[in-house]
Amino acid sequence: MLRTMCGVAAGVVTWMAAVTLLNFAPRFGWPAYRAAEPTFDFSLAMMIMRLAMSAASSVLSGYVAASIERGGRTGWIAGIILLLLFIPDHVRRWAHFPIWYHLLFLVSLPLLGWVGSRLRSPAGVAR
């Protein structure tokens, strides 16, 4: 149980750290992105890039979580916690993004967390 809780916590922290670090590249290397960020007035390319950064962070989060737990459920749980944390934020920002963006982002958190945990501990491997 302690490994599970630590794995979930590490997964959530990993996601936050990874997405923050990945966001430095467009923020400092893409002037239009930096200008759009305060108002969330992102172009299609910017939204796709943001989803890709979140996806990579989710997979890494699940991998780290499963590495600590030595199993597969922590990536899924960390993703569900991230989903619960981000629902209120996306409700507040509903008008800033198209519905497909909200749905892809929110659904991908637990799904790609699970994918990351499967990369670390494939199905069928005994714990």
Side-chain angles (χ1 to χ4, degrees):
M1 180 64 140
L2 182 59
R3 276 192 181 276
T4 300
M5 292 187 316
C6 289
V8 168
V12 171
V13 169
T14 297
W15 189 94
M16 297 290 187
V19 83
T20 299
L21 291 172
L22 288 171
N23 197 44
F24 281 130
R27 184 178 285 161
F28 296 112
W30 191 356
Y33 181 88
R34 184 173 46 251
E37 200 171 25
T39 59
F40 297 97
D41 190 24
F42 297 114
S43 68
L44 177 61
M46 293 173 191
M47 287 189 281
I48 291 170
M49 184 196 54
R50 288 173 59 87
L51 289 171
M53 291 186 303
S54 174
S57 299
S58 293
V59 172
L60 180 61
S61 167
Y63 187 90
V64 168
S67 295
I68 292 171
E69 185 206 15
R70 297 187 187 145
R73 68 180 172 249
T74 51
W76 181 256
I77 296 168
I80 290 172
I81 290 172
L82 287 165
L83 170 66
L84 294 174
L85 290 172
F86 276 105
I87 285 175
D89 188 51
H90 276 255
V91 168
R92 276 192 310 275
R93 301 185 199 294
W94 192 258
H96 292 282
F97 297 99
I99 192 166
W100 63 264
Y101 180 90
H102 293 292
L103 292 175
L104 275 173
F105 175 78
L106 294 171
V107 168
S108 73
L109 293 169
L111 180 64
L112 293 178
W114 174 79
V115 168
S117 68
R118 295 287 83 185
L119 292 173
R120 174 63 178 99
S121 104
V125 174
R127 289 199 228 196

